[in-house]
């Protein structure tokens, strides 16, 4: 099933639990937990994971290390710090907010690590009504993992992101095979997936869309409602990448951005983040 409504993938202690097995694929996974309900304890098994605060601070104890994550008030209130958890690790997380744990099946064991918010590359992508903010906290060139890739995208009300539609289901010189998860906050918005299977669905906080193949995009933020999504990607390639192929019918859109202004809401927001002023909405 491509669209997973909020609450339908819950399995205590997780409010969202998506594993490669439940998704019907090989690599990518995602878990979300409400820490106010009590400590969360688990083992990573054969998956590498990140601990990404969605709201509030938390403390992560793993492999003899204790990491304090400052977090943020919400996903619309700045870039967060995060923690990396390797395969075969026992973990305990405590706090008062919510955390997401993007994951990927891995074979290389890396150390437990802290990712500082100040080191997260923040990108303005697109222009005009396709302007959005991308927090590349675990992009291939930003943070080292075995297979896991994860980024956050914030789309202001009325704008489109994940656009032009693109796919990554064929290995080639310019495209990689990647499974992808979209986890949403805010909204309502709409998500499109097509080519191999079809999805056009309203999404809001806690909803998930899986993309095992085919084109995906746009992600559309309804007027009046900002939209956030966490992308989790993983695949079989030895080198981590986000290489994709645009739908050739819409690839021309990228070149049109050079003639359009950046949405001032995104420009202002990214300036605030880069200046250390992270309050407010995108």
């Amino acid at each position: 099933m491509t669209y997973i409504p909020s609450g339908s993938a819950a399995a205590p202690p997780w409010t969202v639990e998506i594993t490669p097995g439940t998704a019907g694929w090989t690599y990518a996974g995602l878990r979300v937990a409400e820490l106010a309900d009590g400590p969360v304890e688990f083992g990573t098994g054969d998956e590498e994971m990140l601990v990404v605060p969605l709201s509030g601070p938390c403390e992560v104890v793993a492999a003899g290390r204790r990491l304090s994550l400052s977090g943020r008030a919400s996903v619309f209130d700045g870039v967060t710090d995060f923690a990396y958890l390797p395969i075969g690790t026992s973990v305990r997380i405590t706090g008062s907010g919510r955390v997401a744990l993007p994951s990927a099946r891995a074979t290389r064991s890396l150390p437990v690590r802290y990712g500082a918010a100040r080191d997260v590359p923040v990108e303005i992508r697109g222009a005009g009504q396709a302007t959005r903010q991308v927090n590349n906290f675990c992009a291939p060139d930003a943070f080292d993992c075995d297979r896991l890739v994860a980024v956050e995208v914030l789309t202001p009300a009325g704008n489109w992101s994940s656009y032009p539609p693109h796919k990554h289901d064929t290995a080639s010189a310019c495209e990689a095979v990647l499974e992808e998860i979209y986890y949403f906050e805010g909204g309502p918005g709409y998500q499109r997936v097509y080519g191999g299977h079809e999805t056009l669905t309203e999404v809001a906080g806690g909803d998930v869309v899986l993309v095992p193949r085919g084109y995906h995009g746009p992600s559309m933020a309804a007027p009046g409602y900002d939209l956030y999504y966490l992308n989790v990607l993983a695949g079989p390639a030895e080198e981590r990448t986000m290489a994709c192929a645009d739908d050739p019918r819409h690839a021309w859109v990228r070149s049109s951005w050079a003639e359009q202004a950046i949405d001032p809401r995104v420009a202002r927001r990214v300036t605030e983040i880069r200046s250390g002023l992270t309050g407010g909405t995108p």
Side-chain angles (χ1 to χ4, degrees):
M1 187 169 73
T2 302
Y3 169 57
I4 303 174
S6 178
S8 63
W14 312 110
T15 58
V16 174
E17 184 182 32
I18 297 167
T19 68
T22 60
W25 55 33
T26 306
Y27 298 100
L30 174 70
R31 295 160 179 82
V32 177
E34 295 277 357
L35 299 179
D37 296 337
V40 175
E41 299 183 73
F42 60 96
T44 59
D46 64 354
E47 295 174 278
E48 60 181 349
M49 301 181 181
L50 302 173
V51 181
V52 182
L54 299 173
S55 64
C58 68
E59 183 176 79
V60 180
V61 178
R65 293 200 60 186
R66 186 181 302 270
L67 302 178
S68 295
L69 303 184
S70 299
R72 52 194 166 182
S74 79
V75 295
F76 298 108
D77 191 61
V79 178
T80 186
D81 50 358
F82 61 98
Y84 174 85
L85 306 174
I87 59 175
T89 303
S90 296
V91 184
R92 176 183 170 92
I93 307 176
T94 56
S96 57
R98 279 182 313 121
V99 293
L101 285 86
S103 65
R105 279 188 176 146
T107 56
R108 185 164 59 110
S109 183
L110 300 171
V112 172
R113 280 169 293 149
Y114 173 79
R118 66 177 177 273
D119 295 331
V120 173
V122 180
E123 172 189 359
I124 297 175
R125 189 174 297 173
Q129 288 186 284
T131 311
R132 62 273 201 185
Q133 172 188 329
V134 185
N135 300 334
N136 290 302
F137 69 98
C138 191
D141 57 353
F143 192 82
D144 188 29
C145 294
D146 185 34
R147 295 192 182 276
L148 178 60
V149 174
V151 301
E152 299 178 314
V153 180
L154 293 96
T155 310
N159 281 15
W160 285 22
S161 61
S162 194
Y163 192 75
H166 57 280
K167 70 180 183 75
H168 29 67
D169 58 14
T170 303
S172 72
C174 59
E175 181 182 353
V177 175
L178 292 167
E179 304 158 353
E180 185 166 5
I181 299 170
Y182 282 70
Y183 169 80
F184 294 91
E185 295 279 337
Y190 294 86
Q191 178 67 41
R192 179 84 165 105
V193 182
Y194 63 95
H197 61 291
E198 301 290 323
T199 298
L200 175 57
T201 188
E202 182 175 303
V203 291
D207 291 343
V208 174
V209 170
L210 305 180
V211 186
R213 61 192 177 279
Y215 292 104
H216 36 288
S219 300
M220 299 163 274
Y225 297 92
D226 298 323
L227 186 67
Y228 162 99
Y229 53 88
L230 170 65
N231 281 145
V232 184
L233 305 97
E238 291 302 316
E239 183 176 350
R240 292 166 66 228
T241 177
M242 297 179 72
C244 63
D246 289 339
D247 183 333
R249 296 175 301 168
H250 306 298
W252 66 271
V253 170
R254 289 189 190 275
S255 63
S256 73
W257 296 338
E259 301 173 356
Q260 299 180 56
I262 300 296
D263 188 316
R265 295 172 295 176
V266 179
R268 180 177 64 252
R269 174 65 172 163
V270 171
T271 297
E272 290 174 350
I273 289 171
R274 291 171 177 170
S275 302
L277 305 172
T278 56
T281 56

